[in-house]
Amino acid sequence: MAGKILSIAVPSYNVSMYLEKGLNSYSDERLKEDLEVLIVNDGSTDNTPEIAKKYVEKYPEIFRLINKENGGHGSAVNAGIDHATGKYFRIVDGDDWVNTDNLVQLIDKLKSLDVDMIIDEKREVNMVSGETEHFPIPEYVKKNEILPFDSICTREDIGSFIMIHTLTLKTELLKTADIHLLEKIFYVDYEYIVKATCIGKSIIFLDLEIYQYLVGNINQSVSCQNYVKRYSHHDQVVKELLRFASESEYEGARKEYLDRKVNLIIHTQYKIALIFNMNRKEGKQQANDFRMYLKTYYPMYEKNTRKRYYQAKILHLMGVDDKKLDRIMKRK
């Protein structure tokens, strides 16, 4: 597997219904020399590993199977980073897939690039209706040009396009910085984005649609009811990023970027407790406890997010839930 251009980690837990579609999207002769796909079987109890084995046997130049005990998405990503040998690294979940032709183009571009981060485009595919939506990088963003990350990282209108579905990173950076995520919990995607992007100094945007993201599953962790159900998971991620930010030595634009990312996840924490949680008493207590935690250990972040706390509290008192909030924000 030496000399690969790109390693793709495929965290896979009980995804037998979807896995073949994803693995088929990498099974292309044009990718044999340059692509490494690490299928990380995270202790599946279905036939996920058996499906994976078939692809390893058929395309040993492309696929590797990593079997491990169940440890959650973060644990699977950690295993992917540890085993990656490609110059660049990205993550595609086991129930998602890629645009194969565009992946071939991406790898061709990576061969001539020496950049810390690459951002491309995704498409969401509704699993119920089959409808799709493309999320292009805006026209005003410079493309096909290596930029200093500090020159764009403080721009929220650009930063919002840097997500786990669009991000490719230089593997060496991840290994050198010892980037590892929390295990056995949800919501570590955000942890990965924050920690991984902070270490990059250069970035390039490419108008290539790669990631095909399956949406519309009520079991997805980002559904409002699951945010409430897994509040303690989100709480752990927020506190880990608070620790990370407070111990970092970043300055200037990078520090501003990191602080804004942490502020955003604090805002989400308040929203989960005060708006998403239909048990209003419990949600109010969660928000109060979290705000006290911030006041005690991270007073600057409490001060920076105080306005958002009061906004969420007012909506809470007005009886606004996630559906009403969507109407207020004209999202639906």
Side-chain angles (χ1 to χ4, degrees):
M1 287 290 179
K4 296 289 184 175
I5 300 298
L6 176 64
S7 295
I8 297 180
V10 182
S12 303
Y13 175 71
N14 289 354
V15 289
S16 58
M17 288 180 60
Y18 312 100
L19 188 58
E20 288 190 358
K21 184 178 182 67
L23 300 187
N24 282 338
S25 68
Y26 313 112
S27 304
D28 192 293
E29 291 291 321
R30 296 171 292 175
L31 298 169
K32 286 171 64 174
E33 298 297 322
D34 303 309
L35 177 66
E36 170 184 67
V37 177
L38 304 166
I39 310 166
V40 185
N41 171 39
D42 189 38
S44 296
T45 56
D46 64 1
N47 63 335
T48 289
E50 286 72 30
I51 294 172
K53 285 177 186 176
K54 292 178 182 178
Y55 285 84
V56 173
E57 291 169 359
K58 189 173 182 180
Y59 300 98
E61 308 92 339
I62 296 176
F63 296 101
R64 290 168 58 195
L65 174 59
I66 301 166
N67 288 308
K68 58 179 291 300
E69 292 183 1
N70 180 258
H73 194 261
S75 175
V77 171
N78 293 341
I81 294 172
D82 290 342
H83 286 84
T85 67
K87 181 178 178 181
Y88 293 100
F89 177 86
R90 76 181 295 157
I91 302 161
V92 179
D93 284 338
D95 51 354
D96 300 324
W97 63 100
V98 298
N99 181 311
T100 306
D101 289 339
N102 288 350
L103 180 62
V104 171
Q105 289 189 53
L106 173 64
I107 289 178
D108 283 342
K109 288 180 180 292
L110 292 179
K111 290 177 183 178
S112 61
L113 284 175
D114 188 22
V115 62
D116 293 343
M117 294 181 280
I118 302 96
I119 306 300
D120 47 52
E121 301 173 349
K122 73 168 181 176
R123 179 178 296 274
E124 291 188 353
V125 181
N126 189 290
M127 67 181 300
V128 178
S129 67
E131 295 179 351
T132 73
E133 183 178 1
H134 178 216
F135 290 82
I137 297 170
E139 288 296 323
Y140 57 79
V141 178
K142 289 183 180 179
K143 303 176 188 70
N144 301 302
E145 179 182 337
I146 296 177
L147 306 169
F149 185 52
D150 285 358
S151 70
I152 62 95
C153 68
T154 58
R155 290 185 55 176
E156 190 172 351
D157 58 337
I158 294 180
S160 62
F161 289 89
I162 303 174
M163 59 189 76
I164 199 165
H165 305 124
T166 62
L167 175 64
T168 298
L169 279 147
K170 191 175 284 185
T171 308
E172 181 184 4
L173 290 178
L174 292 167
K175 291 179 180 287
T176 301
D178 195 26
I179 298 298
H180 281 83
L181 308 182
L182 296 173
E183 302 193 356
K184 297 186 181 297
I185 63 171
F186 288 83
Y187 310 115
V188 294
D189 285 11
Y190 196 85
E191 179 193 359
Y192 177 76
I193 287 297
V194 174
K195 289 182 176 180
T197 54
C198 278
I199 61 179
K201 294 182 179 180
S202 58
I203 190 168
I204 190 170
F205 293 86
L206 303 176
D207 51 357
L208 275 175
E209 174 198 317
I210 305 294
Y211 203 112
Q212 310 294 293
Y213 179 41
L214 193 65
V215 298
N217 186 345
I218 194 170
N219 293 319
Q220 286 180 316
S221 60
V222 291
S223 66
C224 295
Q225 57 266 48
N226 281 331
Y227 268 128
V228 174
K229 179 182 175 182
R230 297 164 180 150
Y231 178 84
S232 64
H233 293 206
H234 196 271
D235 186 65
Q236 289 179 65
V237 174
V238 178
K239 289 175 180 176
E240 168 59 16
L241 288 178
L242 284 162
R243 181 205 63 77
F244 175 78
S246 67
E247 294 178 3
S248 75
E249 298 179 355
Y250 296 113
E251 298 178 344
R254 198 70 56 97
K255 173 64 173 170
E256 183 180 341
Y257 167 79
L258 178 54
D259 284 346
R260 192 179 76 244
K261 285 291 189 182
V262 174
N263 289 341
L264 285 172
I265 198 170
I266 291 173
H267 296 167
T268 302
Q269 182 90 331
Y270 284 138
K271 187 161 61 175
I272 296 168
L274 292 170
I275 299 174
F276 293 173
N277 195 339
M278 297 309 296
N279 183 333
R280 305 313 250 185
K281 183 178 180 181
E282 179 185 66
K284 181 180 178 181
Q285 187 62 54
Q286 287 173 338
N288 288 343
D289 289 346
F290 177 66
R291 186 166 178 236
M292 185 58 64
Y293 173 85
L294 286 180
K295 279 186 171 182
T296 303
Y297 298 104
Y298 303 99
M300 185 57 66
Y301 285 104
E302 188 280 324
K303 179 181 178 182
N304 292 341
T305 58
R306 191 177 299 165
K307 181 179 178 181
R308 186 58 62 94
Y309 165 77
Y310 283 120
Q311 289 173 339
K313 191 171 183 179
I314 290 170
L315 293 173
H316 169 86
L317 293 172
M318 293 171 61
V320 173
D321 59 14
D322 58 293
K323 294 180 178 62
K324 290 179 181 178
L325 183 64
D326 280 338
R327 289 196 292 270
I328 292 170
M329 303 299 293
K330 298 181 179 179
R331 289 194 289 251
K332 291 183 181 180

